[in-house]
Amino acid sequence: GQLATLLASTIMFARVLVVSSLISASVTKTLALPIGAMAVCTMAGALWKWRSLRISDGESAKQGELELRNPFSLLPALTWGLLLATVLVASSMARNAFGNSGFIATAAVSGLMDVDAITLAATRLAAGGELDMDVAALAITVAVVSNTIVKGVISWVSGGRGYASDIAKVLGGAMAGGLVVAVARALS
């Protein structure tokens, strides 16, 4: 339950760093501190939940049957490709019209659905010298934060207040830490 949710968030942070490293080591180095801070927070929260599970009376959650889908299905790949193209066009238009602020706003909206598309777009632009490394790191961090907010809302809606309360505390700390580091870096 809560442990799995926090571990999944930690994995997302690592995935963002891996995706950016495929394009630019420099962007990844700039991004490592804010995303790393978020990962440390969620990993600490996961450790807290793991220890709580070990201490508890051993009451196990109901086991449901897991429905697996074909990982090579064409429709999800096409949908993701369309999302990537939309993010690339929207971020370019927003950056041209509103500068870095427009790009960061696009990152926030993009992060509501997916972090990989804006991670690729920002990293590519920064690697090509079209976007400052710190602005790229801030945009990616903002996308990750908006995606994390969505995860918090989903945990609240699907699990209720009792389930989501501890998750909200951990994710809130992670988001605050990541944003503080990214904004401080972008303003320096």
Side-chain angles (χ1 to χ4, degrees), residues 7 13 30 41 52 55 66 98 144 154 157 165 170 176:
L7 287 174
F13 302 137
T30 305
C41 286
S52 295
I55 294 170
L66 180 62
F98 304 107
V144 167
I154 290 170
V157 168
S165 177
V170 173

Side-chain angles (χ1 to χ4, degrees), residues 2-153:
Q2 292 173 323
L3 174 61
T5 300
L6 295 171
L7 287 174
S9 291
T10 305
I11 295 299
M12 179 195 56
F13 302 137
R15 191 182 77 235
V16 165
L17 292 174
V18 168
V19 168
S20 71
S21 73
L22 295 174
I23 299 170
S24 170
S26 299
V27 173
T28 306
K29 287 178 189 173
T30 305
L31 191 57
L33 197 54
I35 297 298
M38 295 176 82
V40 166
C41 286
T42 56
M43 188 55 105
L47 180 61
W48 167 47
K49 286 301 171 185
W50 177 74
R51 289 182 53 97
S52 295
L53 285 172
R54 296 205 60 214
I55 294 170
S56 73
D57 63 354
E59 186 177 315
S60 63
K62 293 180 183 176
Q63 296 292 323
E65 191 173 314
L66 180 62
E67 181 183 329
L68 298 176
R69 292 181 282 156
N70 182 354
F72 301 107
S73 178
L74 187 58
L75 185 59
L78 292 174
T79 303
W80 194 87
L82 180 62
L83 176 63
L84 175 60
T86 302
V87 167
L88 290 173
V89 170
S91 62
S92 177
M93 290 173 58
R95 199 169 114 254
N96 288 338
F98 304 107
N100 291 339
S101 298
F103 188 80
I104 292 168
T106 303
V109 172
S110 172
L112 294 172
M113 299 170 281
D114 179 71
V115 295
D116 296 328
I118 197 67
T119 299
L120 288 169
T123 305
R124 185 181 58 81
L125 288 170
E130 299 175 53
L131 187 66
D132 182 76
M133 296 279 179
D134 290 325
V135 174
L138 178 58
I140 294 167
T141 303
V142 165
V144 167
V145 165
S146 70
N147 190 269
T148 302
I149 290 169
V150 169
K151 288 179 181 171
V153 169

